[in-house]
Amino acid sequence: MLYGESLTLSREGRPILEEVDISLARGEMLGLIGPNGAGKSTLLRLIAGVLQADAGQLWLDGKPLDDFSRRERARRIAYLPQLSEIAWPLSVERLVELGRLPHLEPWQRPGHNDRTIIERVIVQTDLLHLRQRAFNTLSGGEQARVLLARALVTEPDILLADEPVAALDPAHQLDVMELLTDHCEAGQSVIVVLHDLTLAAHYCHRLQLLYEGTTLADGLMDEVLTEDNLATAYAIELADMEDIEITPFALPWRRLKE
């Protein structure tokens, strides 16, 4: 559904991305992983149209992405950036509602179908009890869920999520990843930037490991999270649970049903 070829971008003479290819199938969750400064967020911003590549091309359903109008692009691709400050004291409900704007005419108010979608997503993201609160009074984790809800109500074909679980507790991290999984199972697709390699391996269909602005590895979890790749990208050692003694640890895996 989405394909990018030889995407290249430099800033002040410093290469940020160098001839990076990316592909995404319908219904797929692609996890972008890699150390800080590897180019993950920049790649998402290129796809979202926030940045323009120096070279390379992006296609959506076989059509150059630059040929889409800004409105059509906003309907097809939703971008959830890393948590940023919103100064206006908008209510949670109003902020989530803004995600329907690409589907509305100028000055048009949300209709019945829009309200149904908004209500469903507010419930799914556990925001019912916060819907009338001002966004700038919420905790970082609550704000992250509100911004995810705003992206989900767009009902995009592709959701670009940049570190959507970074500010969340373990339970809500799992909730968010389950929501992204549901989005894929409904026939849409997700590209998600993650630093938690366990979550990436658990939920993503495929991983793309970026390192110093290039793709170091791309494929299934066991093809990407190898000892050599992790040593190169992160300078870390991969632990084999059967061969070494380690301190006991807790690994959040599945949300308990209420």
Side-chain angles (χ1 to χ4, degrees):
M1 180 168 62
L2 177 77
Y3 179 66
E5 183 178 37
S6 300
L7 297 170
T8 300
L9 180 69
S10 296
R11 282 290 181 266
E12 299 179 352
R14 184 174 68 89
I16 308 298
L17 292 174
E18 295 187 81
E19 298 190 349
V20 172
D21 295 344
I22 188 169
S23 64
L24 184 70
R26 190 171 299 277
E28 182 180 37
M29 189 188 306
L30 171 63
L32 288 182
I33 60 173
N36 293 331
K40 305 181 298 298
S41 297
T42 298
L43 183 54
L44 280 197
R45 296 174 76 189
L46 286 180
I47 299 170
V50 178
L51 295 175
Q52 187 71 31
D54 298 331
Q57 181 67 278
L58 282 160
W59 290 269
L60 179 61
D61 288 334
K63 178 180 176 181
L65 198 52
D66 289 341
D67 290 352
F68 287 83
S69 68
R70 294 183 65 86
R71 185 175 181 184
E72 180 62 18
R73 192 163 176 162
R75 288 176 176 172
R76 300 288 304 275
I77 301 175
Y79 173 48
L80 176 62
Q82 294 181 26
L83 190 61
S84 57
E85 183 176 349
I86 294 180
W88 306 304
L90 291 175
S91 71
V92 166
E93 184 172 6
R94 175 58 180 152
L95 192 55
V96 173
E97 186 180 292
L98 293 177
R100 294 301 297 168
L101 284 180
H103 298 275
L104 303 176
E105 298 297 329
W107 307 109
Q108 180 184 359
R109 297 181 64 84
H112 175 72
N113 181 60
D114 301 301
R115 297 304 320 172
T116 299
I117 294 169
I118 292 165
E119 289 298 317
R120 184 187 73 240
V121 172
I122 284 176
V123 171
Q124 288 175 335
T125 49
D126 191 23
L127 295 173
L128 267 177
H129 62 297
L130 300 174
R131 66 188 306 161
Q132 299 306 324
R133 288 269 303 275
F135 178 83
N136 56 2
T137 68
L138 304 180
S139 70
E142 290 167 339
Q143 290 181 353
R145 297 198 331 262
V146 173
L147 296 178
L148 173 62
R150 184 180 65 177
L152 288 173
V153 299
T154 306
E155 294 196 315
D157 292 329
I158 298 173
L159 174 58
L160 309 174
D162 195 351
E163 299 187 42
V165 301
L168 303 182
D169 61 62
H172 281 109
Q173 286 184 355
L174 295 175
D175 285 343
V176 165
M177 296 308 298
E178 290 292 342
L179 285 170
L180 298 182
T181 298
D182 291 343
H183 191 69
C184 292
E185 290 179 348
Q188 287 83 40
S189 304
V190 172
I191 303 178
V192 56
V193 172
L194 293 168
H195 280 296
D196 188 319
L197 299 182
T198 302
L199 285 178
H202 185 27
Y203 283 100
C204 297
H205 300 106
R206 185 165 53 89
L207 300 176
Q208 184 165 347
L209 173 58
L210 297 185
Y211 176 61
E212 296 184 346
T214 64
T215 298
L216 180 62
D218 184 350
L220 300 178
M221 180 269 291
D222 56 353
E223 298 170 332
V224 174
L225 299 182
T226 66
E227 186 172 351
D228 287 345
N229 286 339
L230 295 181
T232 298
Y234 296 99
I236 60 175
E237 181 180 357
L238 185 64
D240 188 329
M241 303 306 176
E242 297 180 355
D243 296 337
I244 66 173
E245 294 183 3
I246 61 173
T247 302
F249 62 94
L251 181 63
W253 193 252
R254 186 178 295 109
R255 187 73 142 99
L256 295 176
K257 301 299 183 182
E258 297 181 358

